[in-house]
Amino acid sequence: MLRDDGRVSGWQGVSLVAITYVYFLIFAQFAFLKRLASLGVAGSHLTAVMAAMAVGGILFSLLTPRLSIWPSPSLRLRIGLCVSASAAFLSLLPIGPVACIVLSFLIGAGLGLLTVTLVTHLRCWMGNRNPLLLAGLGTGVGYLVCNIPAFFNASAEVQATTAGLLCLAGVGVTFLPMQPQPEETPATPQTNYSFLCVLACFTALVWLDSAAFFIIQKTPELKAGTWEGSMHLSANGALHLLAALASVWLLRRRGLMFVLSASFLALGVACLLLLDPHRIALASIFYPIGVSLYSVALVAYPALLAPVTSAAERGRQAGWLYAIAGWSGSAMGIGMGQHLGSIPPLFVLASGAVILLSWPHSIVQQHKREVTLTLAMLLTAFGLNCILTANDSPLQLTPVERGRQVYISEGCINCHTQYIRPNSPDILMWGLPEPLQALRHERPPLIGNRRQGPDLSQVGGRRSPLWLKLHFYNPPEVSGASIMPSYAFLFRDQRGDDLVSYLESLHGSGLPQHRSEEENWHPSPSAVASANDRDGERLFHRSCATCHDANGETRWADHFKRLPPDLTVGPYLHLSLAEDLAQRRNRIARIVKFGVHGTDMPGHEYLPDNEIASISLWLSQQIRQPNHNP
Amino acid sequence: MRSDALTLPSNAPRPVVSAAAHALFWLVFANAIGVLIAILLLFPALNRLLGEWTYGRWIMVHLNLELYGWMSLPMVGFLFKVYGADRGPLALWCRPVLWVWSAALAVGAYSWLTGHSSGKLFLDWSGYARVLFPLAMLALWLLLAVAFVREWKAATIYARGAKAAGLLLLLIVPFILFFASSPNYYPAINPDTGGPTGASQLESSLIIVAILLMLPFGLARRKAERSKAIAISWAIMVAEFLLCFVLGRADISHHRPAQFLSLGSLLIWIPLTPAYYAAFNWNANTRRWRIAFLCWWAALVLSGWVLFLPGILDHFKFTDGLVGHSLLAMAGFTSSLLIFVLVQLLGEDGWIFNRTRSFYGWNVAVLGYVMLMTAAGWREGFDPTFTILPGVARHVIYILRLVVGGVMLAASLDWLIDAATLLRESSVVHATQEATS
């Protein structure tokens, strides 16, 4: 069945790699576990079943290169595929715990035999034309297939059957022509790292990946954010494929260690993001990228890149790699996920140290001076900082002081000013200016330089704590289409309430005077003349309906001091029977512009007169006679 | 040029190439953040994906990395060259100093993203980062001081004096930065706007002028024929510093004639600076960036003064109009000046900045950005809701702003890729020379 060099197109190798990945990912990692759950295997039984798989995998990964029987790679591969297919079909039977243990061992053994044989002789099925690209393509296609929504969401039985059938198809592929095992070539500088170093890096990556995978699987809100929904799954599949191809490109251009480091960065970031369920969307981008980057290397390194002198040595290295990094790393990662429920940042750092410190050739050796001086300066700065802060006694800050610090930390000054300019339109909108001396007492003054939002120097006089809190949770909801980000995360600890306390403390000394000026304000005659009720209705729905419509999003009744009235029915506490229509329109305009002090009703100070007049006109038409007052 | 670099010994001093590469890395990084910020303005819901690293924190990173990364590292390269640190055995220590600088920036960026800030714009250094960055500056100073001592005998008496004075000034900078980042110090405030006074703007502008006047002495030789522009320029600068001293540092409004008239004295630099630079011999390949920086300088001085005038400043204060002016200063004038300096330092290797696409891409994008922001600021001055509330016009401006930001990012990426190529080729040449010797 052997053909001359160069006559193998390579698609056999691609399909064998893809089949192996699909079998491992969708059957061994998913379907078999679901099947065990449906068979009632749990607790210590489940642990024993999983341990049996690991034992089978480790044992056969190490034994395969040393087996003297079945010397033909094709035959050995066929046996591995047949064992794997049999295990998948047997899992469909209603078996007991002991049989599950045996079956699990069979899955591990089949995979051990299959994977080590495949990578040891991969070039026989890949050919010599771009084998690295083909290995990456096989890996990427494997992940892509697993993420096809219909397949991913299918029942365990369908997944197991498909995996088994794919293995049988793989058996068919092994009967196609292959090329002889090529001569081993000397190591290139890019791959000239010690095997132990590479093994340690892969182990750290598989450990991280398995822990993250297990935690996502077991946490419904994380799972919902990563593997649920057709769009999400399709995007994951595409990301896997693209990352696999990127991995090929990087392996060629930057070498193995670069790819492993990039993979660690992506996986490490994903693991850290998983600590916060709110960042799961971001984690779901980094995770597949990190996984595919190293998965390609996990095939390419033992098959194509390892600096070996014989096929036997290649096989032995592949065996150790899959036994230690693959099976043991995976088992340890799952154990960590089971016992801790999360990946401690320190562990991520330690993994990073293993991988990134594996760059001694390129970093420490070539940049001794740079690394030494940088480390020395980092340490010196640390020591100096300790000395400078040694005498700082821990201050007991008030909530207002802590809130001011939160204001600074979040960079609020980049969008909000705290400075009302004298003799300017600022005064009517936001209050009377304060003397500079008062500002000079602040450490530092938070004047700001840009207004993406309103001035906040006297916001405490204009907004209630409840309104501020609602606004921080979801700004567009209470402040018509605001572009401010949500700061709901601040309320997971004390920071949110501190920030609200700080903003509530921002009052000007001229507040009473400003209130009296508000009382005398009315829209300009030209604005009143140009007002129209259609604009009023549109503006009402943008700025007011969230509270004043019966279906308004913000009507958290139990939080308001008084439930905001549905303005189609009232009650209208702040309107009077004695007022004529013009007076009522002015009254409504004042309420719209400045709010109702002492309540949760905010003003809309920044709206121009014509918009205020339009809202006022429309509302005065909608509101029935204010004789509904209780 | 590029194909020759592998066979011919490069005439680019490697520390300067390294400094350019570090500077460009931070430029690309900061510009990418700028694009992210522009995207967040258009799609604020994306902030949720960023967890606690929201818009306000990224702005700090963006601004500080532009200033302390992109705008500082080319000057570090310039100082290497002027003090001779890029020659002989000391050259081996230039790259470590650049690493320390970049490490301090990385620590700073992380500290701002994790919510550590002094609350002062462009002086956000706080905690550990506030100690580390001045230390990085001191590491540079130490290298320059050693180079100065080493070259003592070779230098003329004038050069020795100028370099010694420069070293003294540079020694103060880290301490100024450390103390200026403290929340306890705040500059004079214009009571009518909350911004800087005319005197403080004049002072900071004169520091720029002083740098502009000093730069050519470290970069080029004077032309044989004597030029009055040099003596006149220095005399005017001294006179303006005296004027600044007389104006003092009180909290004074821009409505006071003394403030806006004194700031108007800077207009003299519009004709004077080109005349001053014409008195020196420059590499031919600096021409387009020299013209660019002089044009941006003229635009900056003129628009800076006009925007400070009573009525106009009141209209534009706190609007996008002043954001556009800041960009004119940083991306227009300062960036083109720094690139001009780098091209002069790199000599023939300055080709990395002279691609037509990136030159026009950058400058047209900056001009477009400034015009957009000025238009937005003009509109906003009449109606603050223009920014606070959504609207078609505002969205269009944000979209265009994102587009020009993307062009600026692409141009900077182009320079970075070329700089990396140059660095690699220069390393190969270096290695080949070492092997041959």
Side-chain angles (χ1 to χ4, degrees):
Chain A
M1 294 301 287
L2 299 183
R3 278 196 187 183
D4 289 342
D5 187 13
R7 294 184 63 185
V8 170
S9 67
W11 75 265
Q12 299 99 313
V14 174
S15 46
L16 287 170
V17 170
I19 287 168
T20 308
Y21 263 115
V22 171
Y23 180 84
F24 175 69
L25 296 170
I26 211 78
F27 174 67
Q29 284 200 317
F30 262 105
F32 185 56
L33 289 177
K34 280 196 279 183
R35 188 76 193 118
L36 290 174
S38 67
L39 291 170
V41 178
S44 57
H45 283 142
L46 182 63
T47 309
V49 170
M50 298 317 291
M53 190 190 290
V55 169
I58 292 171
L59 197 62
F60 274 79
S61 294
L62 295 175
L63 279 180
T64 300
R66 293 165 179 82
L67 285 177
S68 53
I69 52 169
W70 315 320
S72 155
S74 298
L75 178 61
R76 207 177 271 190
L77 199 65
R78 269 171 229 146
I79 293 170
L81 285 164
C82 287
V83 170
S84 299
S86 312
F89 294 130
L90 285 172
S91 73
L92 300 173
L93 301 173
I95 50 179
V98 177
C100 284
I101 291 174
V102 175
L103 185 62
S104 185
F105 179 83
L106 207 59
I107 294 170
L111 271 169
L113 183 62
L114 171 61
T115 50
V116 174
T117 308
L118 181 61
V119 297
T120 306
H121 306 284
L122 190 61
R123 283 185 289 184
C124 299
W125 293 286
M126 289 285 188
N128 284 338
R129 279 174 296 185
N130 230 335
L132 191 55
L133 174 65
L134 297 175
L137 198 61
T139 309
V141 168
Y143 275 100
L144 182 69
V145 169
C146 292
N147 280 285
I148 292 171
F151 188 34
F152 188 92
N153 294 321
S155 66
E157 289 77 8
V158 171
Q159 288 174 337
T161 308
T162 312
L165 289 173
L166 280 173
C167 285
L168 293 182
V171 173
V173 170
T174 61
F175 283 103
L176 293 169
M178 59 185 279
Q179 74 171 38
Q181 181 77 20
E183 290 289 314
E184 298 297 347
T185 51
T188 62
Q190 280 194 342
T191 55
N192 201 12
Y193 292 90
S194 73
F195 176 66
L196 275 180
C197 167
V198 174
L199 184 63
C201 293
F202 273 116
T203 307
L205 286 169
V206 175
W207 191 329
L208 271 182
D209 173 15
S210 305
F213 176 84
F214 183 86
I215 290 162
I216 294 171
Q217 273 290 304
K218 294 290 169 189
T219 316
E221 55 185 333
L222 296 183
K223 198 174 172 184
T226 46
W227 289 321
E228 284 184 8
S230 296
M231 280 292 288
H232 217 146
L233 286 169
S234 306
N236 277 355
L239 267 180
H240 273 298
L241 182 61
L242 288 174
L245 296 175
S247 180
V248 172
W249 187 76
L250 289 171
L251 279 169
R252 272 204 199 120
R253 294 286 300 249
R254 309 306 299 264
L256 178 73
M257 276 304 157
F258 186 90
V259 170
L260 297 187
S261 303
S263 168
F264 162 73
L265 288 177
L267 270 179
V269 168
C271 290
L272 294 177
L273 290 170
L274 285 176
L275 294 172
D276 177 359
H278 295 86
R279 290 177 177 155
I280 185 64
L282 214 52
S284 74
I285 296 171
F286 283 104
Y287 179 71
I289 291 174
V291 169
S292 277
L293 281 176
Y294 91 79
S295 295
V296 173
L298 199 54
V299 177
Y301 176 75
L304 308 166
L305 304 174
V308 293
T309 50
S310 66
E313 190 186 355
R314 185 178 293 285
R316 281 195 296 275
Q317 285 200 358
W320 281 110
L321 189 65
Y322 291 157
I324 303 293
W327 291 103
S328 305
S330 179
M332 288 185 289
I334 291 169
M336 173 187 270
Q338 265 177 335
H339 290 107
L340 299 180
S342 67
I343 303 167
L346 261 180
F347 178 76
V348 176
L349 276 180
S351 309
V354 169
I355 294 159
L356 299 176
L357 290 180
S358 305
W359 286 62
H361 299 280
S362 60
I363 296 181
V364 177
Q365 292 300 320
Q366 291 177 22
H367 303 283
K368 266 183 193 161
R369 274 194 184 82
E370 287 84 347
V371 172
T372 310
L373 187 66
T374 306
L375 287 176
M377 296 307 269
L378 289 170
L379 286 173
T380 309
F382 180 76
L384 264 177
N385 191 42
C386 288
I387 294 168
L388 288 170
T389 54
N391 294 329
D392 294 354
S393 52
L395 294 173
Q396 291 297 317
L397 297 178
T398 64
V400 170
E401 289 164 333
R402 288 196 304 266
R404 190 171 197 275
Q405 198 49 51
V406 177
Y407 187 91
I408 291 170
S409 296
E410 298 307 322
C412 303
I413 62 163
N414 293 305
C415 294
H416 294 283
T417 58
Q418 287 193 30
Y419 196 85
I420 293 168
R421 295 172 293 171
N423 310 312
S424 76
D426 292 2
I427 295 172
L428 181 63
M429 288 190 284
W430 295 314
L432 292 167
E434 289 293 293
L436 275 185
Q437 288 78 1
L439 202 63
R440 286 260 173 226
H441 286 301
E442 296 182 11
R443 295 283 180 270
L446 298 174
I447 295 173
N449 71 335
R450 172 80 190 96
R451 282 180 185 153
Q452 298 275 12
D455 184 275
L456 299 179
S457 52
Q458 297 180 27
V459 68
R462 306 196 308 268
R463 298 289 187 273
S464 73
L466 175 65
W467 187 92
L468 289 169
K469 191 167 179 175
L470 291 176
H471 190 258
F472 281 127
Y473 264 92
N474 190 5
E477 188 179 302
V478 288
S479 187
S482 164
I483 58 170
M484 182 166 138
S486 165
Y487 284 91
F489 64 84
L490 291 177
F491 292 91
R492 291 206 294 270
D493 50 44
Q494 199 182 21
R495 288 175 297 169
D497 289 329
D498 288 343
L499 182 56
V500 170
S501 300
Y502 168 61
L503 294 177
E504 271 303 293
S505 76
L506 296 176
H507 289 286
S509 54
L511 191 60
Q513 187 189 337
H514 195 258
R515 292 270 155 85
S516 66
E517 285 173 13
E518 288 173 11
E519 277 304 307
N520 295 324
W521 177 86
H522 53 78
S524 65
S526 61
V528 173
S530 66
N532 74 75
D533 50 1
R534 272 175 307 177
D535 282 350
E537 184 179 9
R538 179 180 55 80
L539 291 164
F540 175 86
H541 284 107
R542 186 182 75 186
S543 303
C544 320
T546 186
C547 289
H548 289 295
D549 186 280
N551 300 317
E553 288 176 75
T554 319
R555 294 167 69 91
W556 297 3
D558 55 338
H559 288 86
F560 280 108
K561 289 174 187 164
R562 175 188 283 273
L563 185 65
D566 174 355
L567 289 187
T568 56
V569 293
Y572 312 110
L573 295 180
H574 303 283
L575 299 180
S576 161
L577 268 174
E579 290 173 331
D580 61 22
L581 189 62
Q583 285 174 321
R584 190 186 304 160
R585 280 178 63 183
N586 275 341
R587 168 72 62 191
I588 294 172
R590 273 195 288 277
I591 291 174
V592 171
K593 188 165 179 76
F594 301 112
V596 181
H597 301 301
T599 74
D600 293 314
M601 167 72 194
H604 301 77
E605 306 85 356
Y606 43 82
L607 288 182
D609 278 14
N610 59 330
E611 294 193 356
I612 300 261
S614 293
I615 296 174
S616 162
L617 172 65
W618 185 75
L619 274 175
S620 63
Q621 290 169 355
Q622 300 303 308
I623 292 173
R624 296 176 213 159
Q625 285 300 313
N627 52 5
H628 294 271
N629 292 354
Chain B
M1 211 20 244
R2 292 176 63 183
S3 56
D4 292 347
L6 278 171
T7 51
L8 297 173
S10 170
N11 64 351
R14 292 193 58 229
V16 174
V17 180
S18 298
H22 277 254
L24 286 169
F25 168 79
W26 290 112
L27 175 66
V28 169
F29 191 72
N31 282 353
I33 295 172
V35 169
L36 170 73
I37 288 166
I39 292 171
L40 290 177
L41 283 175
L42 269 173
F43 307 104
L46 292 180
N47 276 287
R48 285 183 186 276
L49 297 179
L50 302 174
E52 296 201 4
W53 293 3
T54 46
Y55 181 89
R57 296 189 188 182
W58 284 110
I59 290 261
M60 287 188 254
V61 182
H62 170 65
L63 294 178
N64 288 301
L65 290 185
E66 292 282 11
L67 180 63
Y68 298 104
W70 163 235
M71 301 199 176
S72 302
L73 284 162
M75 296 310 286
V76 172
F78 168 75
L79 291 171
F80 286 162
K81 170 86 173 170
V82 168
Y83 282 87
D86 61 338
R87 297 184 287 272
L90 266 187
L92 293 171
W93 287 98
C94 290
R95 212 158 60 174
V97 165
L98 292 170
W99 273 50
V100 173
W101 193 287
S102 284
L105 288 179
V107 169
Y110 181 74
S111 77
W112 300 315
L113 278 176
T114 47
H116 296 90
S117 167
S118 67
K120 295 170 79 172
L121 207 65
F122 284 117
L123 288 168
D124 291 283
W125 300 100
S126 167
Y128 175 67
R130 183 177 164 218
V131 177
L132 180 60
F133 191 67
L135 264 186
M137 290 178 149
L138 283 174
L140 168 68
W141 185 86
L142 194 64
L143 178 68
L144 299 179
V146 173
F148 173 65
V149 171
R150 195 191 60 180
E151 300 223 333
W152 177 264
K153 285 181 184 170
T156 64
I157 190 161
Y158 297 113
R160 274 183 215 158
K163 287 182 183 178
L167 272 180
L168 277 178
L169 284 173
L170 288 172
L171 182 59
I172 300 168
V173 175
F175 297 97
I176 289 181
L177 184 76
F178 181 81
F179 288 108
S181 302
S182 162
N184 298 325
Y185 303 98
Y186 204 82
I189 300 171
N190 175 349
D192 282 335
T193 64
T197 62
S200 57
Q201 289 216 33
L202 179 62
E203 188 180 294
S204 53
S205 302
L206 283 175
I207 291 172
I208 303 290
V209 170
I211 292 171
L212 276 176
L213 297 191
M214 280 188 283
L215 275 177
F217 288 102
L219 288 171
R221 291 185 181 281
R222 286 170 65 169
K223 285 182 178 168
E225 61 271 28
R226 295 192 67 80
S227 167
K228 287 182 183 171
I230 294 178
I232 291 172
S233 298
W234 282 95
I236 289 176
M237 192 195 70
V238 171
E240 286 189 313
F241 265 118
L242 287 174
L243 173 66
C244 210
F245 182 73
V246 171
L247 287 170
R249 290 188 164 173
D251 297 333
I252 297 176
S253 165
H254 65 293
H255 289 103
R256 295 278 190 87
Q259 293 287 308
F260 62 80
L261 289 177
S262 57
L263 195 62
S265 70
L266 288 173
L267 293 173
I268 188 70
W269 295 104
I270 294 177
L272 212 49
T273 312
Y276 186 87
Y277 272 70
F280 292 84
N281 285 309
W282 301 103
N283 285 342
N285 62 351
T286 61
R287 187 169 178 273
R288 59 167 41 164
W289 283 107
R290 197 166 71 248
I291 293 170
F293 106 72
L294 289 170
C295 289
W296 285 119
W297 171 241
L300 178 69
V301 172
L302 183 63
S303 63
W305 182 66
V306 170
L307 281 171
F308 191 74
L309 292 174
I312 298 177
L313 181 57
D314 303 287
H315 183 89
F316 277 104
K317 185 63 188 173
F318 297 139
T319 71
D320 270 333
L322 292 189
V323 174
H325 182 69
S326 305
L327 193 102
L328 192 162
M330 295 180 80
F333 162 65
T334 315
S335 293
S336 52
L337 170 69
L338 293 172
I339 293 175
F340 158 70
V341 169
L342 284 172
V343 173
Q344 176 71 17
L345 286 172
L346 291 167
E348 290 189 6
D349 285 329
W351 63 266
I352 61 171
F353 291 106
N354 273 337
R355 285 187 193 278
T356 302
R357 62 178 186 226
S358 49
F359 174 80
Y360 285 106
W362 179 268
N363 286 294
V364 171
V366 172
L367 183 65
Y369 192 105
V370 172
M371 289 167 69
L372 272 174
M373 292 294 101
T374 307
W378 176 252
R379 180 83 176 72
E380 205 182 327
F382 293 110
D383 174 16
T385 54
F386 183 70
T387 294
I388 297 173
L389 291 175
V392 175
R394 192 193 70 174
H395 271 93
V396 169
I397 285 177
Y398 281 174
I399 290 168
L400 293 174
R401 179 178 168 161
L402 174 60
V403 170
V404 292
V407 174
M408 289 163 71
L409 174 61
S412 56
L413 200 57
D414 203 23
W415 298 327
L416 178 62
I417 291 168
D418 284 343
T421 307
L422 181 63
L423 200 61
R424 229 180 3 253
E425 289 173 351
S426 152
S427 302
V428 170
V429 170
H430 184 73
T432 312
Q433 284 170 340
E434 271 191 351
T436 313
S437 65

